[in-house]
Amino acid sequence: MKHILIYILFILTAALVVLNRYTSLYINSSILHFIVLFTAASSFVIIIGHLFGKLRTIKSIVITFLIIGGITLGKAFFTWEGDWKTQTVIYKNIENGNQTIEFQLKASRFAFGYRERIIERLKIVPLIDWTTAVDTTALNKSKWKRVNIRINELNLPMEAGN
């Protein structure tokens, strides 16, 4: 029974990692992303260890977790650019309150400045969104209400006059 739970855990977390990487699904919390990546890698190694008859003791499993934790922390440190942070919610969908059009910034860790984007964001569950690039000039105004809500998740200083 516990082997089946490890297989299910691996399938779910590996699917989330792949979907986050190759589709518009976006895990918007670096902590959740690390936990999902760590769980996928750990469960995969435990499955392989069980298939080859290794990882039979608690000590070997704990050491494996520590090694995988170190590797995933290193990967996160060297590849993490930062999270996209909402600065302004520009539009809100009239029919679905979980669907917004937002102006977002991402601080670059190894370069100066910010990357910016305007996206349509559908909040699926807390910390997981479906995001797509959107052109606000070709927007169907009958489905969207302009709200211009300043969120400022990066806590940038407000410009004069704003």
Side-chain angles (χ1 to χ4, degrees):
M1 180 65 180
K2 75 177 171 182
H3 293 295
I4 292 173
L5 291 176
I6 292 174
Y7 286 107
I8 291 171
L9 191 62
F10 169 70
I11 290 169
L12 291 175
T13 55
L16 271 176
V17 168
V18 169
L19 288 171
N20 184 63
R21 176 75 175 119
Y22 296 108
T23 69
S24 295
L25 186 83
Y26 178 63
I27 299 173
N28 63 26
S29 165
S30 55
I31 294 170
L32 179 61
H33 189 268
F34 171 77
I35 290 169
V36 168
L37 183 63
F38 173 77
T39 305
S42 298
S43 58
F44 177 72
V45 170
I46 288 172
I47 289 168
I48 297 300
H50 283 296
L51 290 176
F52 289 107
K54 307 293 182 191
L55 299 176
R56 293 181 184 206
T57 65
I58 295 296
K59 182 180 177 183
S60 64
I61 292 175
V62 168
I63 291 171
T64 301
F65 279 153
L66 291 174
I67 292 170
I68 292 170
I71 291 169
T72 52
L73 270 175
K75 184 231 179 263
F77 177 77
F78 288 113
T79 61
W80 178 72
E81 291 184 290
D83 296 328
W84 286 104
K85 298 293 185 181
T86 299
Q87 293 307 106
T88 305
V89 176
I90 304 170
Y91 292 98
K92 195 170 219 174
N93 190 292
I94 294 170
E95 298 171 4
N96 183 356
N98 287 333
Q99 194 170 10
T100 56
I101 294 177
E102 302 177 357
F103 172 70
Q104 295 185 333
L105 294 174
K106 178 193 277 193
S108 181
R109 193 160 56 103
F110 294 115
F112 299 107
Y114 299 94
R115 290 178 31 196
E116 59 183 53
R117 69 180 184 175
I118 295 178
I119 52 109
E120 182 177 331
R121 177 180 177 190
L122 175 62
K123 297 174 186 170
I124 299 172
V125 295
L127 305 178
I128 298 178
D129 304 321
W130 190 266
T131 61
T132 52
V134 66
D135 179 13
T136 57
T137 60
L139 201 61
N140 183 352
K141 305 284 186 185
S142 66
K143 293 183 179 181
W144 297 94
K145 178 183 177 186
R146 188 168 185 98
V147 290
N148 282 337
I149 301 170
R150 297 258 323 167
I151 305 293
N152 196 15
E153 288 182 330
L154 286 175
N155 296 320
L156 297 175
M158 300 293 279
E159 294 178 15
N162 286 336

